[in-house]
Amino acid sequence: MEKIPVAMYARVSTGKIEQSESTEHQISQLMAHLKSMGEQYYTASELHYIDEAFSGYYTKMEERPAFKQMIEDAKVGKFNMLLLREISRVGRDDEENLRFVNRFRALGVRIKSLHDGFDSDVPGSELGFKVKNMIAQIESERISARVSAGMREKAKKGTWMGSMVPIGYVRDKNTQKLVIDESYAPIIRDIFHMYVFERLGTTKICDILNERGDRTKSGKLFLRSHLRQIIQNPVYIGQVTYGRTRAQLNREYDDSGNLSQKNMKLIKTNDPVVVEDAHQAIIDKLTFCKAQEIMKERGGIIDRRTPRHAKYPLVGIAKCGLCGAGMLTSKALKSKKSRIYLRYYRCGNWHKGGKVACSGISIRADKLEGEIFNRLFKHLQKLDMQRIASKGAAETKRLEDKLMKMGQEKKKLINKQTEIALRSDLFSSDAFANTMNIIKRQIENVTEQSDIIERQLTEIRGKDANVLIMSQLLERMKKTSLNDMLELRAIFQELIEKVIVEDANTVSLILYKYTFK
């Protein structure tokens, strides 16, 4: 009797201990069912796939490590059957669950779900699967709605529902409300005082905090992003806000219509729970309001979902020559009286954490981009495109002709070898062996020469491809304005690996992706 290897899959959506233990319970139930199926079915520990702390609704199946491994093992035939406690253990997204069933069935894997009664080998079972799959998704949405409603009720009582407690507060174990943490509250007061009354910028405040040894709860340097979050957070005036955003499933598809990405997207809601005076304030409301006005005036409130620096040509390419960090972009007024803004590339470490993180390099963006553009243009102009391309074409033709002749010669030698073999009775044994060895060496020599020509052709064709790319890019650069940042970025990304900026006037190194010869 042929033995049938059986895989088992278990999943829970959180990493809590009580949830994690349920994966063991799932496997235990599956093991008990396997015994009842008969001796021909067997399993092993390496065929038990367990994913913990992965949502069955918001995460793609391939993003779960155990599930991904299970797919790879199914492809090489490590098991012929897959046991589940219920379809919801695979996921709660009906669209993806159907894809999962079809994929495994195409690999010759039988799928059986205990509680749902689904068996891919049983006719008519698929209809029941689709119904129960839909029910699983509806149940997931109901659970989410119930949990959200319960948390909203708790938030209305001033309970802190966030998983992370803001710096300056701790959570009371009994009431679950926030209470002031006096080991960090003075830092919060200093931040608002420096920002509102001393009119210091976030970079300068970072410098002061970091230089005097203040650190975040995780022991890290204060960054400008930390300060913006603190300054904009109404928790410091005693306010609890819950439900500003809600989770929504976001699916993305490739050109072929296949699911390429699936994740949770946060969207704004119209009815957040806002509770005033839910806990003791660290900052008075007047100071907080002044801070918001200053931040708005300075343009400091940024929509994180639309990165404003992504279009700048050298972001991701330009590096600080002092610390090696990537350079970010910023804007500043040309003068106090002017309304003209100038762009700058600044050291990312200095920009985020001040001079404690790096003493910092800053360079005018138009100056840096212009210099890089001009250097590239000169490099490309020096290349005699037509001459190199013509030489490459001529050499390619010569080698291709030679290779064809080599092939014809090899074919003649093989035919000769076959003809002699058929007439072996006309030769003495020594003469036959000697003649065959000579022809064999001739064939080997022709083969070796052909291989050398093939390698030469591959190298030339590669150079020709690079020449074509360079020629096309040169033509693009002739038509490109230095004000067209999107086109500049495309050209820089194509040609440049890295740019090291030494100071406000010096580019010490440009590492190209191609060799200019």
Side-chain angles (χ1 to χ4, degrees):
M1 181 172 56
E2 185 180 353
K3 293 283 188 177
I4 299 175
V6 179
M8 299 178 179
Y9 181 72
R11 180 193 63 82
V12 289
S13 57
T14 75
K16 295 179 181 180
I17 294 174
E18 61 271 18
Q19 284 281 332
S20 299
E21 289 176 350
S22 71
T23 58
E24 296 179 6
H25 183 58
Q26 290 175 46
I27 295 295
S28 176
Q29 287 180 309
L30 296 174
M31 290 289 288
H33 181 77
L34 184 68
K35 288 181 181 179
S36 68
M37 292 172 60
E39 294 182 359
Q40 69 183 111
Y41 298 96
Y42 75 95
T43 188
S45 58
E46 61 266 22
L47 296 179
H48 298 171
Y49 304 92
I50 298 172
D51 280 315
E52 295 180 353
F54 286 94
S55 168
Y57 189 62
Y58 293 113
T59 59
K60 276 184 69 179
M61 293 173 180
E62 291 85 349
E63 291 172 355
R64 306 177 210 156
F67 198 96
K68 184 178 180 180
Q69 184 60 52
M70 184 169 67
I71 293 174
E72 296 303 315
D73 290 348
K75 288 178 181 178
V76 297
K78 284 192 176 181
F79 56 89
N80 304 113
M81 183 175 181
L82 174 61
L83 281 183
L84 308 164
R85 191 177 71 177
E86 63 242 341
I87 293 298
S88 64
R89 293 307 88 205
V90 172
R92 294 183 182 272
D93 179 0
D94 60 341
E95 179 180 317
E96 229 187 348
N97 284 354
L98 287 170
R99 185 168 65 90
F100 145 75
V101 170
N102 292 331
R103 187 170 187 176
F104 274 76
R105 287 174 71 177
L107 293 171
V109 176
R110 176 185 175 188
I111 304 168
K112 189 173 182 181
S113 172
L114 273 60
H115 292 182
D116 300 321
F118 173 72
D119 188 335
S120 59
D121 277 8
V122 176
S125 184
E126 189 170 338
L127 178 61
F129 166 78
K130 290 179 179 179
V131 172
K132 288 167 183 175
N133 191 24
M134 188 182 301
I135 292 172
Q137 180 167 337
I138 293 171
E139 180 59 22
S140 175
E141 293 170 357
R142 285 178 177 172
I143 290 170
S144 178
R146 287 197 297 268
V147 170
S148 178
M151 294 181 80
R152 286 176 67 88
E153 288 303 314
K154 289 181 179 179
K156 288 177 182 178
K157 297 175 183 178
T159 302
W160 180 254
M161 301 309 301
S163 57
M164 301 294 291
V165 176
I167 184 172
Y169 286 102
V170 292
R171 191 184 343 234
D172 186 284
K173 292 181 180 179
N174 296 320
T175 65
Q176 295 298 303
K177 293 187 177 184
L178 297 181
V179 294
I180 293 177
D181 179 2
E182 286 300 339
S183 59
Y184 285 99
I187 298 175
I188 303 301
R189 296 187 185 103
D190 285 348
I191 289 171
F192 276 90
H193 186 272
M194 288 187 280
Y195 192 77
V196 174
F197 299 106
E198 298 182 30
R199 303 288 291 189
L200 300 181
T202 51
T203 300
K204 182 62 178 177
I205 297 173
C206 277
D207 282 341
I208 293 171
L209 296 177
N210 293 330
E211 282 182 345
R212 74 187 192 188
D214 290 331
R215 297 292 183 266
T216 66
K217 277 187 174 182
S218 58
K220 296 180 180 178
L221 293 173
F222 275 95
L223 305 178
R224 295 178 67 213
S225 57
H226 295 147
L227 299 193
R228 285 196 294 267
Q229 290 168 7
I230 288 170
I231 292 167
Q232 295 179 77
N233 196 341
V235 73
Y236 296 110
I237 56 173
Q239 186 183 106
V240 164
T241 305
Y242 176 78
R244 285 188 186 277
T245 60
R246 66 177 178 84
Q248 178 175 284
L249 181 63
N250 180 49
R251 293 189 183 99
E252 295 179 13
Y253 300 87
D254 59 23
D255 294 338
S256 302
N258 298 316
L259 183 68
S260 61
Q261 189 173 346
K262 171 183 163 184
N263 51 40
M264 179 180 69
K265 183 179 180 181
L266 293 177
I267 60 172
K268 291 183 178 180
T269 62
N270 297 320
D271 58 341
V273 174
V274 179
V275 181
E276 303 289 346
D277 302 318
H279 51 263
Q280 190 177 355
I282 296 177
I283 303 300
D284 65 83
K285 293 182 180 179
L286 181 60
T287 301
F288 183 81
C289 289
K290 286 181 179 179
Q292 307 317 300
E293 291 173 5
I294 293 169
M295 183 163 282
K296 188 175 182 180
E297 177 188 317
R298 293 175 177 174
I301 299 177
I302 302 168
D303 187 350
R304 302 280 171 214
R305 294 168 297 176
T306 53
R308 62 177 183 176
H309 308 315
K311 64 182 180 180
Y312 284 7
L314 290 168
V315 169
I317 297 174
K319 308 293 180 183
C320 172
L322 298 179
C323 69
M327 300 191 80
L328 305 179
T329 55
S330 63
K331 290 183 180 181
L333 283 170
K334 187 174 182 179
S335 65
K336 291 183 179 179
K337 295 181 180 180
S338 171
R339 290 191 176 183
I340 300 173
Y341 279 90
L342 299 176
R343 293 186 300 115
Y344 289 86
Y345 286 96
R346 303 183 190 274
C347 167
N349 280 340
W350 176 85
H351 185 78
K352 295 175 183 177
K355 62 185 179 183
V356 172
C358 179
S359 56
I361 289 174
S362 177
I363 187 170
R364 281 268 298 268
D366 56 346
K367 178 180 179 180
L368 180 60
E369 291 159 6
E371 181 177 348
I372 300 302
F373 184 89
N374 290 334
R375 288 198 197 185
L376 278 175
F377 196 79
K378 287 177 182 177
H379 276 306
L380 294 177
Q381 277 188 317
K382 286 179 183 177
L383 296 175
D384 186 349
M385 297 296 178
Q386 291 184 346
R387 180 183 62 81
I388 295 173
S390 175
K391 181 182 177 183
E395 182 67 7
T396 299
K397 181 69 168 61
R398 185 184 72 81
L399 290 173
E400 284 176 343
D401 290 344
K402 190 174 180 180
L403 186 64
M404 184 175 68
K405 290 178 181 178
M406 289 281 189
Q408 291 170 349
E409 185 179 348
K410 184 177 179 179
K411 188 175 181 180
K412 288 179 181 179
L413 288 168
I414 292 171
N415 290 337
K416 185 177 180 181
Q417 191 180 48
T418 304
E419 189 177 329
I420 291 172
L422 293 172
R423 299 181 179 181
S424 59
D425 56 325
L426 301 176
F427 299 87
S428 67
S429 59
D430 289 342
F432 176 77
N434 187 50
T435 303
M436 293 297 280
N437 283 334
I438 291 171
I439 297 174
K440 181 182 178 184
R441 284 196 295 271
Q442 289 175 334
I443 292 173
E444 288 174 349
N445 183 55
V446 172
T447 302
E448 186 178 344
Q449 292 298 315
S450 298
D451 289 342
I452 292 171
I453 294 172
E454 285 282 8
R455 287 196 293 270
Q456 290 174 337
L457 279 170
T458 300
E459 185 177 348
I460 290 172
R461 286 164 181 160
K463 287 181 179 178
D464 283 349
N466 283 350
V467 166
L468 179 61
I469 291 170
M470 298 300 164
S471 179
Q472 292 171 342
L473 283 168
L474 180 60
E475 292 305 311
R476 281 173 63 186
M477 291 182 77
K478 288 177 181 178
K479 302 173 185 177
T480 300
S481 163
L482 289 174
N483 294 321
D484 188 346
M485 289 192 288
L486 290 176
E487 180 64 5
L488 273 185
R489 179 169 175 80
I491 292 169
F492 290 162
Q493 290 283 342
E494 179 70 34
L495 288 170
I496 301 173
E497 190 74 41
K498 185 190 298 184
V499 172
I500 304 296
V501 182
E502 206 65 39
D503 54 44
N505 300 300
T506 311
V507 176
S508 63
L509 172 69
I510 301 178
L511 184 62
Y512 298 104
K513 292 182 178 180
Y514 297 92
T515 302
F516 295 98
K517 290 184 179 179

